[in-house]
Structure formats: structure tokens, C-alpha cells
Amino acid sequence: MVVNIHFDSSWQEGFLKRFHQDGPWGNWELYKLAVESEQHTVIEEFEGLVAPKHLPNLTPLPHQLEAARQVVENMNGKAILADEVGLGKTIEAGLILKEYMIRGLVKKVLILVPASLVTQWTKELNEKFFIPAVAQKKSYVWEKCDVVVSSIDTAKRSPHQEIIYKQDYDLIIIDEAHKLKNNKTKNYQFAQNLKKKFCLLLTATPIQNKISEIFNLVSLLKPGHLGNESAFNEKYKKDSRSIENNEHLKELVNKVMIRNRRHETGIKWTERHVETVPIRFTKEEQELYDAITALRTNGNWMGPGAFSVMTLQREACSSREAVYVTLRNMLKKEKTSSDFQDQINYLIKKVESVRSNSKAEKALELIKNIDDKVIIFTEYRATQLYLQWFLKQNGITSVPFRGGFKRGKKDWMRELFQNHARVLIATEAGGEGINLQFCHHIINFDLPWNPMRLEQRIGRVHRLGQEQDVHIYNFATKDTVEEHILKLLYEKISLFEKVIGELDNILTKMDFGNFEDYLTDIFGYSATEGEMRIKLENFSSMIELATQMKEGEKRAAGGNP
Amino acid sequence: MQQEEIHEFLVRFFKANGCEILANEQGYLTVQLTIELDKELMNRPFYWHYLEKTGGVPNPAILTLITDATKAPQDIKGEKIHFGSPRLHQIFQSAKNLAGYIRLYEKRNSPPGRNIPLRPWIGLNIKISYQCDRKRDILRSIGLQLINGRMVEGFHERLLQLDLTPKIPDYSFTLSPLIMPKSGIARIERFLRKELQNEDHQWAIDAKKRWKKDLQLLEHFYEDCESKGESYHNEKEALKNQYEPKINISIINGGLFYLTETAI
């Protein structure tokens, strides 16, 4: 016999008791209603999705329904949902969860998401999917509630971890799962030790740098699917970056991964309007910048110092406050020569003589002209604080946003921004994990060097659900590293016009290492302006080539019936 | 389930529980809950506990359910009900809780001066769930006559044709069962088991194949490790939970039915 049959005897006990005690007996009408309700809820087929019937207020897109069906029918409920940014991975995960819950296959669920998304997940599951999800706040929640949403950082801490390890989960969902790409980290090991029947890993970027990242993700989901670690390394070491080149590996990965591409979904996106706003330094700002640049050839700043000079240059393009904080920290550091200290103090003098911030003035002018909410992104805490003060001086309400905020504070800030403030000032770390579709204007006060991070910034606003065109203003100070990177790199690869997600395709395809290392090399070690220009051009040509290859591939793929 | 069906279902449910229907209009209904149903549906044990301790006047809730927002008046305040809404499923569950066991008698006009004998049946509404990493359910309704052991399928549908009452009707008398209910249930269980064993279980064979394949992958993954740690054992156990095919037979509700000789 291939299958065990279990006959539930609990009803019989209750019945025999009533038989001997002569009651109490139920009501005939209710008895009939009980049978009718079963007839309405019974699911007679293994295949197909019943969840949509239970969700009249949700209209899933075709690719979302198909993804959910695939996971349930062909992937046995273990999958990496790797749609490009903004295609609704959360909806897919919600559909799958709902399907399993309706069918009675899943009861106990753990959902691990970035701290800033805990409330949002909880809200969406409750409101869109009618799933009674609870945000973890007290430690008893792990045991008492069936569907719990938490951040992985909370979950892995004592005493939570010990309690969680004792639970048998039917389904585990991990959002932003690319953070588990390294199997040596505590987070990875924590996730690996969870007891899970079904598992969904959500990430828009399943591979960022190395092919081993996909190995680790898949091994979390289905250990052995890509072999064991030593065999995998042996086999794929040679072409360590390009999964595309290896048909066999690609096929294996596709058995556990669903990746919808934007151009395949046929969804109409609102436009991006990109405007470069050239900024001119004031005389004092220019002097500060030049003083920093002059240090490039100085012995104290050479070698590993190349990085510091560039950091300071970039900071000088943002605010004097940002420069000042870095200089102070340099002074505090280990014993430095008095010569070096003098140079720093000299720069601090220059900082002090700067009286105004050209970018901030420009931002103010823009905000006054835009009759709508605005998000300002900056890389630097110091600039963020300064801007907050500056806007307040000019009668504009703003709220800060940082990655380091606690969950409640993030929600609160988002709420404040939506209902009470004109401007949200976010630092880089704050870019991930909040959705701000109600806003349509972004000012990039300064530019990150990793285009993926720029992508994430824009992705907060330009995503599924955005109903209006999005305006992006890039501030670039004339004759600085900033202008170079914008003009020679970002504009050349028409980064800003790309629909979201296309970029990660291209970057993962390129066969070179870390983007930022590359740029540090170009800016830090070029002897002359001319050399830097040529290196940057080479670099952007490489990206262009990768883009063309990508488009060629798309056409070729489109040619198939 | 269409919205009108849901509306109809709700009205019947509340009436069957003795609730007064305060409004039953296009697109919505308003119900005065009884104390029992308030406790069953409104999830406020502290209120009831407090009331019982202090001896206050119970004030069960009034519930307005909107079954079709397009037809209901704009200003009406209430809970929107649709097929997936938790409230409806709570009510489904509640119907099962409140009517798990039943005893009924058939009412039939008898010729004057003659008493009608009623024969005992046990009737079960059964859900059979086939489960591996997927699941499907089948509903069955089986009746067993407790005198001659005759077994009948589609029992519930046949009952719906009869006039049934909770009190024994005048001029009727019940025959005592020869088969005790306990062994009646056991007969039905044996019957179902035998029938299920003879079914085609390709779904279970396939599930076992999937299970075996994942197990092999798991072994391979850990083959270089000298001691297979906790995560290996967790994973192995999880695969069993995920794939192991099983059939669960559960009883939705059922009871004793005293029926005339020709009823079924």
C-alpha cells in the first residue's frame, strides 16, 4: 500500500457521549448549512489556484498568477521569486501563501523581511489577502500566532532564536533574500536551521557578483539541487561570473526560480523625466574643492589615501558639513604626523570659510516651484542634517529617513511625510525597503557610484502602482568628479531612462568586478584629466556593449515562436 | 459562491440560531445577536467574563453585514462580506461547531389507528483529503441502517427530500438498533478504507518520487560532511512532512436518523 489512511476518531467520541446522554443535539437547519459551507469550500483538484476566488478586491496580473501556479504545481512550494524590481513579488508570495492556507496545507508561517517592511507586509497580508498576519512585538508571539512577520535581525537574536527553532513552520518567506548570499554569515546559518516544509525566497537580484551567491540561495531552499559546495566550486570556478554561459546551470536554477522580466509582462509604465541640474560652486566652495584636489599628489594622501581624497571631493560636492565630519574623524584617528594634521586643519579653515551651499539653494528653488512632495536623496548624514535645518529656516517642513531607524520610526516618518511634510530627506541606507508611490519628484542631491543603488532610490517611487510620471533631478557640480561620473558614465549609458530592473540585467551580465572598485581606480589613480577621461570612456563602452548584447538577445528570443 | 447566495446563507444562519433579523434589505442585513452567538462570533471573552462576575445586564452586539455594496445604501455602516472574508469563514466554522451532531425523526402521516415504526440509521458527512505537497478533498455522505446493515451513498441528499423533526412525531415509535452506533461507524470506516485502497494512487506514487529525488539531493549535499548537523536532520524531516502521501478521513457532521421503512 503506497499511502497511509488516517481516520479521525474525534467525532466518534463526541457522538457516543451524546448517544448515551441523549443529547444535546444540533439544529437541522444549521446542520444543513454546515454541509453547504463544506460544499462551497471543498477543493476537488490537486491542480489550479483557488485563492483568486477568495480575493475579490485583488486583481493579480497574469504573470503573478502564473508564477503562483508554477510554484504550487511544478516547484512543490519551494522557489526563488526573482522578478525584477516592482513587478509584485509580494503579491505572488501572498497568493501562494493564501492558496496553501485555503487548502489547509499551511498553518504556521514565518515571514522574514527588512525591518522597515514589517508593518507594510503585515498590513498587505491582512488587507489584501485577509491573512491574519501579526508583526512580532513580544516574544510570546512566535508560539501563539500562526502567521508572524519579523525582521531577521530580531529573529536571530536570543531569546527569539531559541523559541523559533522549536517551531515547525509549514512555510517560510524571506524577503530581500539576496542578503543571504554568503553562507558564512549568522543570518544565513540562522535561515538554514529553520524547520520548513515550503519556502519562498524573494529577491530582485539573485546574483549580484559571484555565481556562488546563487549556489547559496538555492542550497537554502533545496540543499543538493546544485550539488554540494566542493563539487559546485570545482565545476563552475572557471567562469565564476556568468551564469548565462552555462546552459546546464541555468536550467537547474530555473527549476527553482521564477524571474519575470519587465518587457515580458507587457505592463505599461509611467514615464521617467530626467533632468540634469548643473550647479556652480560659490567662490569659497570652489576653493575648498580645489584645496582637496591639490592634495592628490601629496605624499600623506597617496596610496590608500587616494580613496580619502576622493571621498572628500565627493563630500565637498554635497555639503561643507559632510567634509567637516570626515576631517574631524581623520584627526581623531591614530597618531598622524603633525604635517598631516596641519593639512587637515588647513582644510578645516577652508570649510569654515564656506558660507552657503549652492546645491541647497538650488534645491530650495526647485521645491518652491514644484507644487508637490519631493524626496531628496543624499549619501551623507551630515548633509541630511544640514538640509533639514536649512529647509526649516526657509519654512519648508521635512522629515529625515535613515536605514538605522527602528521599524516604528520608519513607519512614522513615512506617515508624517505622506500626511504632513513636503520633503523627505533620505540617506542611502534609507533607500531600501520603503514604498513611496504617492511621491513623484526625486532630487538626487549627490550621486552614489554604484548604479544599482541609484536604481534602488528611483525604485522606491517608480514602481508598480505609480500612476503618474516621475521626475528625477540630478544635481551635478560643474568641473568636479561628480560631473564626470554623471556626464561620462550615467548619461552615456542612459541610466536614468532605463526602466527599472533593466540595469541589473546588464550589470550582472558584464564580466567585470565591483563597480565601485573600478571607479575608485579611475578617479584615484589617473595621473591626468585626459587619462581619466579615456578610462571612463572605455568603461562606459563596455557597459554599452553589454547593453547591446542584451538587446540582441532579446530580439533573438523574440524570434522564437 | 455568489453574493446573493451568501446573503441567503447568512439569513438562514442567523435565523437558525434564533437571532432577530432587524433589517433584511437589498445588499445588507442587520442582526441582533443572541448571547450565545455573540460569544461565538464577536471574540470578546473579557466583556462576557466581566459581565458574569458583576452580574450586569448583557448587551449582545448588533451586527450589520454588507453583502453587496453596490446595492446597499451609501451611508450604511457594516462589515463587507465576500467569499474570502474571514467573517464568512468564521460563520462556516461556527455552523460546523454548532451542528456537529444531530438526531432527527421522519414525520409522515399515518393511517388512523396505526403506529408507524421508524428504523435507526447512522449518517455521516465525510471529507476525504488526499495530501502530499498538494491536496484535494472529496465529500461523501454515507448512511448505514442499524438493523439490517444496509449502506447508502449520497445519504444527505436523500435526507433533504424528507420531512424531519427533532421530536418523535405522534403515532410513531422507534425500533432499537441491532448494530450499535460504534460498530456502525467502524463498518463505514472499513468500507471507506477498502475502497480507498483499491483506488489508483498515481498521485501518491508521484509524490514519493519527488520525495525520493529531494532526499537524494540532500544526501549528496551533505556527503562531504563528517557529521551531518542539525540542519540535515531538520531538512530530512521537513521533506517527509512536505511529500509523504496520506489520506485523512474526517467527519464534518453526522447523527442518528429514525426513518420510515420506505424512506430510503
Side-chain angles (χ1 to χ4, degrees), chain A residues 47-75:
Chain A
E47 284 82 22
L49 295 181
V50 293
K53 270 197 283 180
H54 290 246
L55 304 167
N57 304 325
L58 181 82
T59 316
L61 296 162
H63 74 269
Q64 293 165 343
L65 285 171
E66 178 59 19
R69 195 188 62 77
Q70 283 278 353
V71 171
V72 175
E73 288 183 13
N74 300 333
M75 296 176 166

PDB file of all heavy atoms in Angstrom, chain A residues 47-75:
ATOM      1  N   GLU A  47      -4.686  20.400  -8.854  1.00  0.00           N
ATOM      2  CA  GLU A  47      -4.138  21.489  -9.659  1.00  0.00           C
ATOM      3  C   GLU A  47      -5.002  22.747  -9.574  1.00  0.00           C
ATOM      4  O   GLU A  47      -6.145  22.696  -9.150  1.00  0.00           O
ATOM      5  CB  GLU A  47      -4.026  21.078 -11.137  1.00  0.00           C
ATOM      6  CG  GLU A  47      -2.862  20.158 -11.432  1.00  0.00           C
ATOM      7  CD  GLU A  47      -3.200  18.715 -11.112  1.00  0.00           C
ATOM      8  OE1 GLU A  47      -4.405  18.395 -11.086  1.00  0.00           O
ATOM      9  OE2 GLU A  47      -2.268  17.929 -10.875  1.00  0.00           O
ATOM     10  N   GLY A  48      -4.426  23.819 -10.054  1.00  0.00           N
ATOM     11  CA  GLY A  48      -5.170  25.070 -10.185  1.00  0.00           C
ATOM     12  C   GLY A  48      -5.098  25.912  -8.907  1.00  0.00           C
ATOM     13  O   GLY A  48      -4.742  25.428  -7.838  1.00  0.00           O
ATOM     14  N   LEU A  49      -5.420  27.182  -9.076  1.00  0.00           N
ATOM     15  CA  LEU A  49      -5.405  28.095  -7.939  1.00  0.00           C
ATOM     16  C   LEU A  49      -6.836  28.413  -7.519  1.00  0.00           C
ATOM     17  O   LEU A  49      -7.657  28.764  -8.345  1.00  0.00           O
ATOM     18  CB  LEU A  49      -4.716  29.407  -8.318  1.00  0.00           C
ATOM     19  CG  LEU A  49      -3.235  29.378  -8.668  1.00  0.00           C
ATOM     20  CD1 LEU A  49      -2.760  30.787  -8.979  1.00  0.00           C
ATOM     21  CD2 LEU A  49      -2.414  28.789  -7.534  1.00  0.00           C
ATOM     22  N   VAL A  50      -7.124  28.294  -6.247  1.00  0.00           N
ATOM     23  CA  VAL A  50      -8.435  28.714  -5.768  1.00  0.00           C
ATOM     24  C   VAL A  50      -8.364  30.062  -5.062  1.00  0.00           C
ATOM     25  O   VAL A  50      -9.372  30.717  -4.857  1.00  0.00           O
ATOM     26  CB  VAL A  50      -9.073  27.667  -4.822  1.00  0.00           C
ATOM     27  CG1 VAL A  50      -9.418  26.418  -5.572  1.00  0.00           C
ATOM     28  CG2 VAL A  50      -8.150  27.351  -3.655  1.00  0.00           C
ATOM     29  N   ALA A  51      -7.156  30.476  -4.699  1.00  0.00           N
ATOM     30  CA  ALA A  51      -7.006  31.723  -3.938  1.00  0.00           C
ATOM     31  C   ALA A  51      -7.691  32.927  -4.593  1.00  0.00           C
ATOM     32  O   ALA A  51      -8.359  33.695  -3.899  1.00  0.00           O
ATOM     33  CB  ALA A  51      -5.526  32.020  -3.679  1.00  0.00           C
ATOM     34  N   PRO A  52      -7.548  33.114  -5.919  1.00  0.00           N
ATOM     35  CA  PRO A  52      -8.171  34.315  -6.507  1.00  0.00           C
ATOM     36  C   PRO A  52      -9.667  34.425  -6.232  1.00  0.00           C
ATOM     37  O   PRO A  52     -10.196  35.525  -6.074  1.00  0.00           O
ATOM     38  CB  PRO A  52      -7.895  34.151  -8.002  1.00  0.00           C
ATOM     39  CG  PRO A  52      -6.655  33.328  -8.060  1.00  0.00           C
ATOM     40  CD  PRO A  52      -6.766  32.368  -6.905  1.00  0.00           C
ATOM     41  N   LYS A  53     -10.362  33.296  -6.145  1.00  0.00           N
ATOM     42  CA  LYS A  53     -11.794  33.334  -5.855  1.00  0.00           C
ATOM     43  C   LYS A  53     -12.079  33.921  -4.477  1.00  0.00           C
ATOM     44  O   LYS A  53     -13.169  34.398  -4.202  1.00  0.00           O
ATOM     45  CB  LYS A  53     -12.371  31.913  -5.893  1.00  0.00           C
ATOM     46  CG  LYS A  53     -12.873  31.516  -7.269  1.00  0.00           C
ATOM     47  CD  LYS A  53     -13.789  30.308  -7.167  1.00  0.00           C
ATOM     48  CE  LYS A  53     -12.968  29.048  -6.960  1.00  0.00           C
ATOM     49  NZ  LYS A  53     -13.743  27.824  -6.853  1.00  0.00           N
ATOM     50  N   HIS A  54     -11.092  33.798  -3.589  1.00  0.00           N
ATOM     51  CA  HIS A  54     -11.266  34.308  -2.237  1.00  0.00           C
ATOM     52  C   HIS A  54     -10.846  35.776  -2.110  1.00  0.00           C
ATOM     53  O   HIS A  54     -10.950  36.342  -1.039  1.00  0.00           O
ATOM     54  CB  HIS A  54     -10.440  33.475  -1.252  1.00  0.00           C
ATOM     55  CG  HIS A  54     -10.971  32.084  -1.066  1.00  0.00           C
ATOM     56  ND1 HIS A  54     -11.482  31.646   0.121  1.00  0.00           N
ATOM     57  CD2 HIS A  54     -11.080  31.048  -1.916  1.00  0.00           C
ATOM     58  CE1 HIS A  54     -11.883  30.397  -0.007  1.00  0.00           C
ATOM     59  NE2 HIS A  54     -11.640  30.006  -1.228  1.00  0.00           N
ATOM     60  N   LEU A  55     -10.351  36.322  -3.190  1.00  0.00           N
ATOM     61  CA  LEU A  55      -9.775  37.667  -3.106  1.00  0.00           C
ATOM     62  C   LEU A  55     -10.417  38.616  -4.115  1.00  0.00           C
ATOM     63  O   LEU A  55      -9.786  39.031  -5.073  1.00  0.00           O
ATOM     64  CB  LEU A  55      -8.261  37.606  -3.357  1.00  0.00           C
ATOM     65  CG  LEU A  55      -7.485  36.656  -2.441  1.00  0.00           C
ATOM     66  CD1 LEU A  55      -6.083  36.427  -2.958  1.00  0.00           C
ATOM     67  CD2 LEU A  55      -7.448  37.208  -1.031  1.00  0.00           C
ATOM     68  N   PRO A  56     -11.697  38.939  -3.900  1.00  0.00           N
ATOM     69  CA  PRO A  56     -12.401  39.734  -4.912  1.00  0.00           C
ATOM     70  C   PRO A  56     -11.836  41.146  -5.068  1.00  0.00           C
ATOM     71  O   PRO A  56     -12.032  41.770  -6.092  1.00  0.00           O
ATOM     72  CB  PRO A  56     -13.835  39.786  -4.375  1.00  0.00           C
ATOM     73  CG  PRO A  56     -13.697  39.567  -2.914  1.00  0.00           C
ATOM     74  CD  PRO A  56     -12.505  38.680  -2.724  1.00  0.00           C
ATOM     75  N   ASN A  57     -11.127  41.626  -4.042  1.00  0.00           N
ATOM     76  CA  ASN A  57     -10.636  43.010  -4.127  1.00  0.00           C
ATOM     77  C   ASN A  57      -9.241  43.103  -4.720  1.00  0.00           C
ATOM     78  O   ASN A  57      -8.659  44.163  -4.811  1.00  0.00           O
ATOM     79  CB  ASN A  57     -10.632  43.646  -2.741  1.00  0.00           C
ATOM     80  CG  ASN A  57     -12.001  43.591  -2.116  1.00  0.00           C
ATOM     81  OD1 ASN A  57     -13.008  43.704  -2.820  1.00  0.00           O
ATOM     82  ND2 ASN A  57     -12.060  43.382  -0.826  1.00  0.00           N
ATOM     83  N   LEU A  58      -8.685  41.955  -5.086  1.00  0.00           N
ATOM     84  CA  LEU A  58      -7.333  41.953  -5.613  1.00  0.00           C
ATOM     85  C   LEU A  58      -7.396  41.453  -7.052  1.00  0.00           C
ATOM     86  O   LEU A  58      -8.013  40.437  -7.333  1.00  0.00           O
ATOM     87  CB  LEU A  58      -6.473  41.011  -4.776  1.00  0.00           C
ATOM     88  CG  LEU A  58      -5.002  40.896  -5.176  1.00  0.00           C
ATOM     89  CD1 LEU A  58      -4.225  42.052  -4.585  1.00  0.00           C
ATOM     90  CD2 LEU A  58      -4.429  39.586  -4.686  1.00  0.00           C
ATOM     91  N   THR A  59      -6.788  42.193  -7.951  1.00  0.00           N
ATOM     92  CA  THR A  59      -6.739  41.728  -9.338  1.00  0.00           C
ATOM     93  C   THR A  59      -5.282  41.426  -9.688  1.00  0.00           C
ATOM     94  O   THR A  59      -4.554  42.312 -10.103  1.00  0.00           O
ATOM     95  CB  THR A  59      -7.285  42.797 -10.292  1.00  0.00           C
ATOM     96  OG1 THR A  59      -8.474  43.324  -9.727  1.00  0.00           O
ATOM     97  CG2 THR A  59      -7.591  42.210 -11.655  1.00  0.00           C
ATOM     98  N   PRO A  60      -4.860  40.195  -9.485  1.00  0.00           N
ATOM     99  CA  PRO A  60      -3.459  39.896  -9.778  1.00  0.00           C
ATOM    100  C   PRO A  60      -3.206  39.975 -11.281  1.00  0.00           C
ATOM    101  O   PRO A  60      -4.103  39.713 -12.082  1.00  0.00           O
ATOM    102  CB  PRO A  60      -3.284  38.456  -9.288  1.00  0.00           C
ATOM    103  CG  PRO A  60      -4.512  38.123  -8.522  1.00  0.00           C
ATOM    104  CD  PRO A  60      -5.596  39.015  -9.026  1.00  0.00           C
ATOM    105  N   LEU A  61      -1.992  40.352 -11.637  1.00  0.00           N
ATOM    106  CA  LEU A  61      -1.616  40.406 -13.043  1.00  0.00           C
ATOM    107  C   LEU A  61      -1.332  38.994 -13.535  1.00  0.00           C
ATOM    108  O   LEU A  61      -1.008  38.113 -12.739  1.00  0.00           O
ATOM    109  CB  LEU A  61      -0.382  41.283 -13.195  1.00  0.00           C
ATOM    110  CG  LEU A  61      -0.622  42.736 -12.800  1.00  0.00           C
ATOM    111  CD1 LEU A  61       0.677  43.469 -12.550  1.00  0.00           C
ATOM    112  CD2 LEU A  61      -1.443  43.444 -13.856  1.00  0.00           C
ATOM    113  N   PRO A  62      -1.464  38.793 -14.845  1.00  0.00           N
ATOM    114  CA  PRO A  62      -1.291  37.429 -15.370  1.00  0.00           C
ATOM    115  C   PRO A  62       0.039  36.781 -14.964  1.00  0.00           C
ATOM    116  O   PRO A  62       0.070  35.602 -14.609  1.00  0.00           O
ATOM    117  CB  PRO A  62      -1.357  37.629 -16.886  1.00  0.00           C
ATOM    118  CG  PRO A  62      -2.134  38.883 -17.076  1.00  0.00           C
ATOM    119  CD  PRO A  62      -1.859  39.733 -15.886  1.00  0.00           C
ATOM    120  N   HIS A  63       1.122  37.554 -14.998  1.00  0.00           N
ATOM    121  CA  HIS A  63       2.405  36.925 -14.661  1.00  0.00           C
ATOM    122  C   HIS A  63       2.478  36.553 -13.181  1.00  0.00           C
ATOM    123  O   HIS A  63       3.176  35.614 -12.812  1.00  0.00           O
ATOM    124  CB  HIS A  63       3.585  37.827 -15.060  1.00  0.00           C
ATOM    125  CG  HIS A  63       3.778  39.016 -14.174  1.00  0.00           C
ATOM    126  ND1 HIS A  63       3.188  40.229 -14.417  1.00  0.00           N
ATOM    127  CD2 HIS A  63       4.482  39.171 -13.036  1.00  0.00           C
ATOM    128  CE1 HIS A  63       3.530  41.087 -13.466  1.00  0.00           C
ATOM    129  NE2 HIS A  63       4.317  40.470 -12.612  1.00  0.00           N
ATOM    130  N   GLN A  64       1.712  37.264 -12.375  1.00  0.00           N
ATOM    131  CA  GLN A  64       1.706  36.932 -10.946  1.00  0.00           C
ATOM    132  C   GLN A  64       0.935  35.633 -10.689  1.00  0.00           C
ATOM    133  O   GLN A  64       1.378  34.778  -9.922  1.00  0.00           O
ATOM    134  CB  GLN A  64       1.090  38.079 -10.143  1.00  0.00           C
ATOM    135  CG  GLN A  64       1.949  39.338 -10.164  1.00  0.00           C
ATOM    136  CD  GLN A  64       1.221  40.578  -9.686  1.00  0.00           C
ATOM    137  OE1 GLN A  64      -0.009  40.614  -9.615  1.00  0.00           O
ATOM    138  NE2 GLN A  64       1.983  41.614  -9.376  1.00  0.00           N
ATOM    139  N   LEU A  65      -0.185  35.498 -11.361  1.00  0.00           N
ATOM    140  CA  LEU A  65      -0.974  34.275 -11.229  1.00  0.00           C
ATOM    141  C   LEU A  65      -0.185  33.066 -11.732  1.00  0.00           C
ATOM    142  O   LEU A  65      -0.166  32.012 -11.109  1.00  0.00           O
ATOM    143  CB  LEU A  65      -2.275  34.392 -12.033  1.00  0.00           C
ATOM    144  CG  LEU A  65      -3.356  35.267 -11.417  1.00  0.00           C
ATOM    145  CD1 LEU A  65      -4.489  35.462 -12.400  1.00  0.00           C
ATOM    146  CD2 LEU A  65      -3.874  34.635 -10.134  1.00  0.00           C
ATOM    147  N   GLU A  66       0.468  33.265 -12.876  1.00  0.00           N
ATOM    148  CA  GLU A  66       1.233  32.179 -13.463  1.00  0.00           C
ATOM    149  C   GLU A  66       2.384  31.773 -12.533  1.00  0.00           C
ATOM    150  O   GLU A  66       2.654  30.583 -12.326  1.00  0.00           O
ATOM    151  CB  GLU A  66       1.764  32.614 -14.839  1.00  0.00           C
ATOM    152  CG  GLU A  66       2.624  31.603 -15.557  1.00  0.00           C
ATOM    153  CD  GLU A  66       1.929  30.276 -15.822  1.00  0.00           C
ATOM    154  OE1 GLU A  66       0.683  30.231 -15.780  1.00  0.00           O
ATOM    155  OE2 GLU A  66       2.646  29.276 -16.037  1.00  0.00           O
ATOM    156  N   ALA A  67       3.032  32.756 -11.937  1.00  0.00           N
ATOM    157  CA  ALA A  67       4.126  32.460 -11.008  1.00  0.00           C
ATOM    158  C   ALA A  67       3.607  31.634  -9.830  1.00  0.00           C
ATOM    159  O   ALA A  67       4.210  30.626  -9.456  1.00  0.00           O
ATOM    160  CB  ALA A  67       4.765  33.760 -10.518  1.00  0.00           C
ATOM    161  N   ALA A  68       2.476  32.048  -9.286  1.00  0.00           N
ATOM    162  CA  ALA A  68       1.919  31.330  -8.140  1.00  0.00           C
ATOM    163  C   ALA A  68       1.570  29.890  -8.526  1.00  0.00           C
ATOM    164  O   ALA A  68       1.850  28.940  -7.793  1.00  0.00           O
ATOM    165  CB  ALA A  68       0.685  32.065  -7.620  1.00  0.00           C
ATOM    166  N   ARG A  69       0.975  29.732  -9.705  1.00  0.00           N
ATOM    167  CA  ARG A  69       0.597  28.397 -10.159  1.00  0.00           C
ATOM    168  C   ARG A  69       1.838  27.513 -10.334  1.00  0.00           C
ATOM    169  O   ARG A  69       1.874  26.359  -9.912  1.00  0.00           O
ATOM    170  CB  ARG A  69      -0.177  28.499 -11.476  1.00  0.00           C
ATOM    171  CG  ARG A  69      -0.928  27.238 -11.858  1.00  0.00           C
ATOM    172  CD  ARG A  69      -1.512  27.338 -13.262  1.00  0.00           C
ATOM    173  NE  ARG A  69      -0.489  27.488 -14.276  1.00  0.00           N
ATOM    174  CZ  ARG A  69       0.261  26.472 -14.722  1.00  0.00           C
ATOM    175  NH1 ARG A  69       0.082  25.261 -14.257  1.00  0.00           N
ATOM    176  NH2 ARG A  69       1.194  26.681 -15.629  1.00  0.00           N
ATOM    177  N   GLN A  70       2.852  28.072 -10.972  1.00  0.00           N
ATOM    178  CA  GLN A  70       4.107  27.342 -11.176  1.00  0.00           C
ATOM    179  C   GLN A  70       4.699  26.838  -9.861  1.00  0.00           C
ATOM    180  O   GLN A  70       5.109  25.693  -9.749  1.00  0.00           O
ATOM    181  CB  GLN A  70       5.151  28.268 -11.827  1.00  0.00           C
ATOM    182  CG  GLN A  70       4.947  28.489 -13.304  1.00  0.00           C
ATOM    183  CD  GLN A  70       5.537  27.342 -14.104  1.00  0.00           C
ATOM    184  OE1 GLN A  70       6.190  26.469 -13.560  1.00  0.00           O
ATOM    185  NE2 GLN A  70       5.280  27.340 -15.398  1.00  0.00           N
ATOM    186  N   VAL A  71       4.716  27.729  -8.884  1.00  0.00           N
ATOM    187  CA  VAL A  71       5.335  27.376  -7.606  1.00  0.00           C
ATOM    188  C   VAL A  71       4.568  26.232  -6.943  1.00  0.00           C
ATOM    189  O   VAL A  71       5.152  25.285  -6.435  1.00  0.00           O
ATOM    190  CB  VAL A  71       5.392  28.605  -6.674  1.00  0.00           C
ATOM    191  CG1 VAL A  71       5.817  28.200  -5.269  1.00  0.00           C
ATOM    192  CG2 VAL A  71       6.347  29.641  -7.230  1.00  0.00           C
ATOM    193  N   VAL A  72       3.245  26.309  -6.994  1.00  0.00           N
ATOM    194  CA  VAL A  72       2.448  25.295  -6.326  1.00  0.00           C
ATOM    195  C   VAL A  72       2.468  23.974  -7.105  1.00  0.00           C
ATOM    196  O   VAL A  72       2.619  22.903  -6.526  1.00  0.00           O
ATOM    197  CB  VAL A  72       0.995  25.794  -6.147  1.00  0.00           C
ATOM    198  CG1 VAL A  72       0.122  24.712  -5.575  1.00  0.00           C
ATOM    199  CG2 VAL A  72       0.977  27.026  -5.254  1.00  0.00           C
ATOM    200  N   GLU A  73       2.351  24.077  -8.422  1.00  0.00           N
ATOM    201  CA  GLU A  73       2.212  22.840  -9.199  1.00  0.00           C
ATOM    202  C   GLU A  73       3.530  22.206  -9.612  1.00  0.00           C
ATOM    203  O   GLU A  73       3.657  20.991  -9.637  1.00  0.00           O
ATOM    204  CB  GLU A  73       1.370  23.116 -10.461  1.00  0.00           C
ATOM    205  CG  GLU A  73      -0.089  23.341 -10.128  1.00  0.00           C
ATOM    206  CD  GLU A  73      -0.928  23.532 -11.381  1.00  0.00           C
ATOM    207  OE1 GLU A  73      -0.432  23.246 -12.485  1.00  0.00           O
ATOM    208  OE2 GLU A  73      -2.068  23.984 -11.238  1.00  0.00           O
ATOM    209  N   ASN A  74       4.501  23.036  -9.983  1.00  0.00           N
ATOM    210  CA  ASN A  74       5.717  22.451 -10.543  1.00  0.00           C
ATOM    211  C   ASN A  74       6.946  22.567  -9.657  1.00  0.00           C
ATOM    212  O   ASN A  74       7.960  21.930  -9.914  1.00  0.00           O
ATOM    213  CB  ASN A  74       6.029  23.091 -11.895  1.00  0.00           C
ATOM    214  CG  ASN A  74       4.894  22.871 -12.877  1.00  0.00           C
ATOM    215  OD1 ASN A  74       4.152  21.889 -12.765  1.00  0.00           O
ATOM    216  ND2 ASN A  74       4.735  23.778 -13.813  1.00  0.00           N
ATOM    217  N   MET A  75       6.874  23.411  -8.652  1.00  0.00           N
ATOM    218  CA  MET A  75       8.075  23.592  -7.834  1.00  0.00           C
ATOM    219  C   MET A  75       7.877  23.090  -6.412  1.00  0.00           C
ATOM    220  O   MET A  75       8.724  23.295  -5.549  1.00  0.00           O
ATOM    221  CB  MET A  75       8.470  25.065  -7.819  1.00  0.00           C
ATOM    222  CG  MET A  75       8.874  25.567  -9.200  1.00  0.00           C
ATOM    223  SD  MET A  75       9.216  27.311  -9.185  1.00  0.00           S
ATOM    224  CE  MET A  75      10.045  27.490 -10.762  1.00  0.00           C
TER     225      MET A  75
END
